[in-house]
Amino acid sequence: MEVSWEQSVTDSINTIYLLFSAYLVFVMQLGFAMLCAGSVRAKNAMNIMLTNVVDAVVGSISYYLFGFAFAFGVGSSSSNPFIGTTFFALKDIPNTTYDYNFFLFQWAFAIAVAGITSGSIAERTQFTAYLVFSFFLTGFVYPVVAHWVWSSNGWLSASSSELLFGSGAIDFAGSGVVHMLGGIAGLWGSFIEGPRVGRFDAFGKPMPMRGHNATLVVLGTFLLWFGWFGFNPGSFDKILVAYPNTTDQGNWTAIGRTAVTTTLAGSTAGITTLFGRRLLVGHWDALDVCNGVLGGFVAITSGCAVVEPWAAIVCGFCSAWVLIGLNILALKLQFDDPLEATQLHGGCGAWGLIFTGLFAKEEFVIQAYESGESGVVRPYGLLMGGGWGLIGCQVVQVLVIVLWVSLTMGPLFYALHKLRILRISIDEEVAGLDISSHGGYAYVAHPEDDQPRFYADYMRLQAQNQS
């Protein structure tokens, strides 16, 4: 069947839009790398940057071979609401449903998950462990949850023909599927490994262990902000979709609104953190503000397409206090997450799911999931008068993500721990992963002059200690 030139132009523009969004999301890998590098001590900078590269390259192979199939594969005769069963190694792609551009966009999401988890276990993890968990997380754990929520066959999906509670869970761009999942995985990794050497004294008092470069943290934050304009608005997949019964509205309208809600949530969270931390610690802290901004982005990611701009401000304000509160709790429990990834992505991601169940607007839900069709009725936010269907699904999603990740990543990290390939030795940790595992420091002029400068010096000291 011959395709009209109008349809060809529409398809081309939609393809370009999705590919450009994928490129923006991939830029977030650079943002993660800069943020992580600046947040750790200088003696571990090369290690954390290499792990970010490994997350991307290992995740690419894993997602190509298995991940995409588990997330979006469909059976020829029957659908599986738990896991996909076709499209392994992109077999039968492209087809009438998916094309290569859709795979690339979803791949960019998948490799971001492993980057989140890497931050939680930074500065004390063997490099082999990164390879193992990155492959498993990107190729299996994440795709299964993506199938539940984003595949049209998923049992939690808001696009399914059989909607849970008549609604399905709304996680438009992944507060739960991406961020909360990565944060909970990081929780288990950090818990099983234990705190870094010197993070808490003998009485359990937290000791300062700040990152070495605020410039890299701020740079990483702005790169992530930039990438989020592909992450959230790009999740519409298509831009040229006109809404019926209107003359000037379509996905292009909703995409613009989504970018606005994303910006407002992050900005509100940042300024709330700025003054909140000022009241708590007595000074203006740039690094805390950067994490606050990112917490706002994480929270709004679920409902970015289905809430009003004013609701995004509420989302950002609350997410800042969620992050501040969880950071205080983490210190009291002697939980050590160098990047605050568990608190930021796990905590703010969970809040984002609940927020969507409270504030989603019916009109926007229909636009996002029914292309604005008139006469369609769907559950929406509880506080907006939409009943308990949506909020029920959101709570279910929070619970099943915690359960699924705990049943998969928890045993994996524990097995790596028992096999002695999870945590490095105390001597290696004190010397720094750069010199002990990667042959030298990331910087020529290293501020910690009491440490060996070259790998040969490190090995000489090791030999002396053993003798």
Side-chain angles (χ1 to χ4, degrees), residues 21-33 35-36 48 51-63 103-120 130 133-135 137-139 141-143 146 150 173-186 223-224 227-228 230-232 235 294 298 301 339 341-342 344-346 409:
S21 297
Y23 304 152
L24 285 177
V25 177
F26 183 66
V27 167
M28 297 178 78
Q29 289 299 120
L30 176 58
F32 278 127
L35 180 73
C36 291
I48 196 68
T51 60
N52 276 271
V53 176
V54 165
D55 289 337
V57 297
V58 172
S60 298
I61 303 302
S62 179
Y63 196 70
F103 165 80
L104 194 74
F105 183 70
Q106 295 300 329
W107 156 80
F109 273 62
I111 61 175
V113 180
I116 293 168
T117 306
S118 296
S120 294
Y130 281 111
F133 93 77
S134 181
F135 190 88
L137 184 64
T138 309
V141 179
Y142 161 78
W150 287 340
S175 287
V177 176
V178 176
H179 296 282
M180 185 183 171
L181 187 149
I184 299 301
L223 285 170
L224 289 169
W228 237 292
F231 206 92
N232 288 1
S235 293
L294 296 178
V298 167
T301 296
L339 272 293
T342 296
L344 196 160
H345 296 275
M409 296 303 294

Side-chain angles (χ1 to χ4, degrees), residues 12-21 233-234 237-239 255:
S12 298
I13 293 175
N14 286 333
T15 297
I16 292 170
Y17 175 73
L18 189 59
L19 284 173
F20 182 70
S21 297
D237 295 345
K238 299 178 181 179
I239 189 170
I255 285 169

Side-chain angles (χ1 to χ4, degrees), residues 32-43:
F32 278 127
M34 295 299 98
L35 180 73
C36 291
S39 298
V40 301
R41 289 164 292 177
K43 62 184 179 181

Side-chain angles (χ1 to χ4, degrees), residues 262-347:
T262 300
T263 301
L264 290 176
S267 300
T268 303
I271 198 167
T272 303
T273 305
L274 175 69
F275 287 100
R277 291 294 294 171
R278 175 69 172 81
L279 292 174
L280 292 173
V281 302
H283 60 265
W284 312 101
D285 194 313
L287 304 186
D288 285 338
V289 171
C290 287
N291 272 354
V293 169
L294 296 178
F297 290 148
V298 167
I300 195 61
T301 296
S302 168
C304 56
V306 297
V307 300
E308 292 274 14
W310 63 263
I313 293 176
V314 176
C315 177
F317 178 82
C318 293
S319 70
W321 290 109
V322 168
L323 180 58
I324 291 171
L326 289 177
N327 282 337
I328 294 173
L329 179 62
L331 292 179
K332 290 186 178 296
L333 297 176
Q334 297 185 36
F335 176 79
D336 182 22
D337 185 328
L339 272 293
E340 300 177 4
T342 296
Q343 303 93 294
L344 196 160
H345 296 275

Side-chain angles (χ1 to χ4, degrees), residues 141-438:
V141 179
Y142 161 78
V144 169
V145 178
H147 184 81
W148 297 348
V149 180
W150 287 340
S151 171
S152 59
N153 298 316
W155 66 275
L156 261 176
S157 175
S159 303
S160 173
S161 58
E162 299 179 6
L163 298 173
L164 180 67
F165 302 153
S167 171
I170 293 180
D171 190 6
F172 188 74
S175 287
V177 176
V178 176
H179 296 282
M180 185 183 171
L181 187 149
I184 299 301
L187 167 67
W188 281 107
S190 188
F191 173 74
I192 292 172
E193 279 195 311
R196 291 167 289 174
V197 173
R199 183 64 180 94
F200 299 95
D201 65 16
F203 302 99
K205 180 182 177 181
M207 305 302 293
M209 200 173 280
R210 292 174 67 84
H212 79 284
N213 195 320
T215 303
L216 290 179
V217 173
V218 174
L219 174 62
T221 300
F222 276 114
L223 285 170
L224 289 169
W225 190 333
F226 181 63
W228 237 292
F229 289 130
F231 206 92
N232 288 1
S235 293
F236 276 91
D237 295 345
K238 299 178 181 179
I239 189 170
L240 287 186
V241 176
Y243 298 150
N245 304 320
T246 66
T247 58
D248 58 353
Q249 291 192 43
N251 270 6
W252 56 87
T253 314
I255 285 169
R257 184 183 63 248
T258 300
V260 170
T261 57
T262 300
T263 301
L264 290 176
S267 300
T268 303
I271 198 167
T272 303
T273 305
L274 175 69
F275 287 100
R277 291 294 294 171
R278 175 69 172 81
L279 292 174
L280 292 173
V281 302
H283 60 265
W284 312 101
D285 194 313
L287 304 186
D288 285 338
V289 171
C290 287
N291 272 354
V293 169
L294 296 178
F297 290 148
V298 167
I300 195 61
T301 296
S302 168
C304 56
V306 297
V307 300
E308 292 274 14
W310 63 263
I313 293 176
V314 176
C315 177
F317 178 82
C318 293
S319 70
W321 290 109
V322 168
L323 180 58
I324 291 171
L326 289 177
N327 282 337
I328 294 173
L329 179 62
L331 292 179
K332 290 186 178 296
L333 297 176
Q334 297 185 36
F335 176 79
D336 182 22
D337 185 328
L339 272 293
E340 300 177 4
T342 296
Q343 303 93 294
L344 196 160
H345 296 275
C348 294
W351 157 243
L353 291 175
I354 302 302
F355 159 79
T356 303
L358 296 174
F359 289 95
K361 185 176 179 180
E362 183 180 23
E363 176 188 356
F364 298 162
V365 171
I366 294 173
Q367 289 178 0
Y369 291 96
E370 304 288 350
S371 298
E373 287 290 339
S374 58
V376 176
V377 178
R378 292 189 63 128
Y380 51 103
L382 176 64
L383 298 183
M384 306 296 285
W388 293 90
L390 177 57
I391 188 67
C393 291
Q394 303 301 99
V395 172
V396 169
Q397 185 181 346
V398 171
L399 295 177
V400 296
I401 288 176
V402 172
L403 181 62
W404 171 248
V405 178
S406 298
L407 291 176
T408 52
M409 296 303 294
L412 175 66
F413 280 121
Y414 186 73
L416 294 174
H417 169 70
K418 283 299 184 181
L419 293 171
R420 300 183 182 277
I421 57 175
L422 181 60
R423 182 158 185 163
I424 59 175
S425 68
I426 293 178
D427 288 342
E428 290 176 313
E429 185 175 344
V430 171
L433 281 161
D434 288 2
I435 194 68
S436 64
S437 300
H438 305 294

